[in-house]
Amino acid sequence: MASHPKHGLVTVAQHIIEQQRNHPTATGQFSWLLSGITLATKIIESHVRRAGITNVLGETGESNVQGELVQKLDLIANETIMRCLGYRGNIGILVSEEEDEPRIIKNTSGSGNYVVLFDPLDGSSNIDVNVSIGTIFSILHKREDVWPSDGPEKHVLQPGIRQLAAGYVVYGSSTVLAYTTGDGVHMFTLNPDIGAFVLHQEGVIMPDVGKTYSINEAYRASFPQGIQDYLEWAKTDNYSQRYIGSLVADFHRTLLRGGVFLYPPTKKSPEGKLRLLYEANPMAFLAEQAGGAATDGQHRIMEKTPQHMHERTPLIIGSKSEVERVHQFLEKG
Ligand code: P6P
């Protein structure tokens, strides 16, 4: 990637403001909101980097609404985001993987027009073995056609095509933020010397082909026949298999190198394992903005209307031609 004169000099805060200039109706509220998210991820990063020495490794002994054992860092990440966003003054509703119900933020100014949905620390089962993990976020505008007496669900259960922005931070060998507001995907690296995310790639384009598939083949026997047939074909066509078991890390590689990530329905997770609102939708927005595709094996992820907050979905996401090839096998299967 050719070095860009802006690289290393533009912080994510500056970039967000520049992006907002492309939206004449933007009031700066949005930029203020996104800066709350980047602040939270810098705090989370500081905990992740020192996990082994600050006794935040391991489980809390509790389970979350997903029925998953909650890691100490999950709770720290969740509370950090809740605190950083709760006082921004322009957010109305926060939805977290770690919380059963939406958290309604009482805004004195009454301008809480945004809904922020997030997985505070995705891949947390990898924390104790030092594998990359990440934070995923999605931003919606509250709906105009909802009565105050209606519960928060109507604002939350919107299809992914209504996202205003989406992104993730991957806490890997370096800490990288990727985000989109619908004008392409842009990437920033956290410079620990100055404590700022600085631009390193604008307008990221996912390669249209990539001979890599990413899937947990331990569940192969319970995959739909079309997926099993695709895997057979890929092996005969010299594909590589890469699977980290952390969606943010597997997606980040797919976004940059091309290929396809698949989490199909399995016997253990007949609806798929990944959550529509705060995992599949934000990744689908990024994938499409980078020229890729994201489906559930039948429908475009971003056109699915959620029925409940923690709804799960199968996910096939990556290079457009690779996703289309998987669909060809599913149609035959
Ligand atoms: P499996 C992590 O727990 C996660 O939610 C995603 O980050 C990841 O893609 C998936 O689950 C891994 O699931 O069943 O392969 O361990």
Side-chain angles (χ1 to χ4, degrees), residues 212 214 242-244 248-258:
T212 301
S214 183
R242 292 285 183 277
Y243 193 73
I244 301 167
V248 176
D250 280 317
F251 178 75
H252 188 65
R253 181 199 58 250
T254 306
L255 178 61
L256 293 174
R257 296 271 178 83

Side-chain angles (χ1 to χ4, degrees), residues 122-123 125 216 219 243 245-247 261 263 273-275 279:
D122 173 72
S125 55
N216 185 338
Y219 309 131
Y243 193 73
S246 183
L247 173 64
F261 171 89
Y263 207 108
K273 175 181 182 184
L274 302 174
R275 293 76 166 182
E279 289 178 329

Side-chain angles (χ1 to χ4, degrees), residues 19 32 71 86 91 124 133 138 160 174 214 217 222 226 262 264 319:
Q19 288 280 303
W32 177 234
Q71 309 284 331
I91 294 166
S124 51
I133 51 183
S138 169
S174 61
S214 183
E217 289 200 78
S222 64
L262 309 94
S319 303

